[in-house]
Amino acid sequence: MSKRDDLIVKYAEDIKDKFGEAPDMDLLTKVTVGLGPAIYNIDASKVSGSDEKELETVKKNYLMKKLGMADDPKLMEAIKSVVEKYGSSNRNKHRAVIYYMLCKHFDKASIY
């Protein structure tokens, strides 16, 4: 398996363990591929749930730019909800998992 495939398996395990869901592997793969080389960078591949600036970046760059959503307080509520479910004590919140969960939350899989 390639390094990306290994990461996708790790992300799928996180979705099962932290969110109690069986991941849609096709969508998870597309979200991961969409992140490009960022998944290989330790810092860029993670999201700091306690950093408001980081959460704002997720909102602007992913929800608004990539998914084409209008700015709305519900966007930040959804991000915080996903981060909370992921576990505030978990320091390794993978960006691909958070983006995947947000994509599912807003039913935007068709974008991929």
Side-chain angles (χ1 to χ4, degrees), residues 21-92:
E21 293 183 17
D24 173 340
M25 293 307 289
D26 185 48
L27 178 60
L28 180 58
T29 300
K30 289 175 180 174
V31 169
T32 302
V33 169
L35 283 165
I39 62 171
Y40 306 112
N41 178 304
I42 300 273
D43 191 44
S45 69
K46 308 274 194 311
V47 171
S48 169
S50 59
D51 182 350
E52 287 295 325
K53 195 169 160 225
E54 176 91 13
L55 300 180
E56 193 64 32
T57 299
V58 170
K59 182 177 93 169
K60 284 185 178 149
N61 292 351
Y62 184 64
L63 295 178
M64 292 168 67
K65 281 185 187 168
K66 176 75 178 170
L67 300 186
M69 301 183 73
D71 195 359
D72 185 296
K74 287 184 176 145
L75 301 184
M76 192 55 78
E77 287 171 24
I79 293 168
K80 288 183 177 180
S81 168
V82 167
V83 166
E84 192 176 304
K85 283 182 193 158
Y86 211 144
S88 55
S89 62
N90 178 7
R91 295 185 49 77
N92 291 318

